[in-house]
Amino acid sequence: METTSIVMVTQIENQRDTVLDRRAAKLAPPPMYQVVLLNDDYTPMDFVVGVLQRIFGKNEDEAARIMLKVHHEGRGVCGVYPRDIAATRVEMVRQLAHARQHPLQCVMEPAPDS
Ligand code: TYC
């Protein structure tokens, strides 16, 4: 092959590789974070159940189950989300708790195996 053709073929192959790299990057799932509620001695149980329903979309049974797990074990996962969504929900819990002067604590942490 003459030199010009070899250069052109190489350029086309490089462009194709770039497109494939971009596609692979787009398809990679985002890192996930779990939102965790922490126990305390003062926040009323029904407030925690309401938070789990309103902010995490749990039905009443599931919300009560998670609340009791936190009450007995000290912590419990409310949901697993991409970083921005997890951060927004943590902030919403903090604002609701602060508005009602409850010491409820909520944190986010990298989800195991994500
Ligand atoms: N331990 C609290 C109580 O006895 C209830 C509670 C549950 C508080 C879960 C916080 O994340 C929590 N009233």
Side-chain angles (χ1 to χ4, degrees):
M1 225 185 302
E2 68 168 85
T3 311
T4 311
S5 306
I6 293 171
V7 168
M8 287 176 62
V9 165
T10 306
Q11 283 174 343
I12 289 166
E13 283 175 353
N14 284 344
Q15 285 168 4
R16 185 204 55 197
D17 289 349
T18 304
V19 168
L20 291 178
D21 284 352
R22 286 213 195 98
R23 257 183 228 163
K26 265 189 210 150
L27 286 180
M32 301 296 275
Y33 291 80
Q34 58 189 20
V35 176
V36 178
L37 271 186
L38 306 180
N39 191 35
D40 66 71
D41 291 338
Y42 304 103
T43 304
M45 290 182 173
D46 61 349
F47 179 82
V48 178
V49 171
V51 163
L52 286 160
Q53 291 179 274
R54 287 157 61 186
I55 299 182
F56 297 96
K58 306 300 183 189
N59 67 36
E60 191 163 1
D61 286 358
E62 182 67 356
R65 191 192 65 75
I66 295 170
M67 183 281 294
L68 284 174
K69 182 182 173 71
V70 177
H71 178 69
H72 289 299
E73 298 179 17
R75 51 179 274 143
V77 175
C78 313
V80 179
Y81 310 98
R83 189 179 57 217
D84 287 1
I85 295 173
T88 300
R89 290 182 197 212
V90 167
E91 190 52 36
M92 290 167 78
V93 173
R94 288 178 178 164
Q95 283 180 17
L96 275 184
H98 184 253
R100 301 295 296 272
Q101 299 187 310
H102 297 313
L104 181 62
Q105 296 283 303
C106 185
V107 299
M108 62 189 270
E109 52 194 40
D113 57 270
S114 91

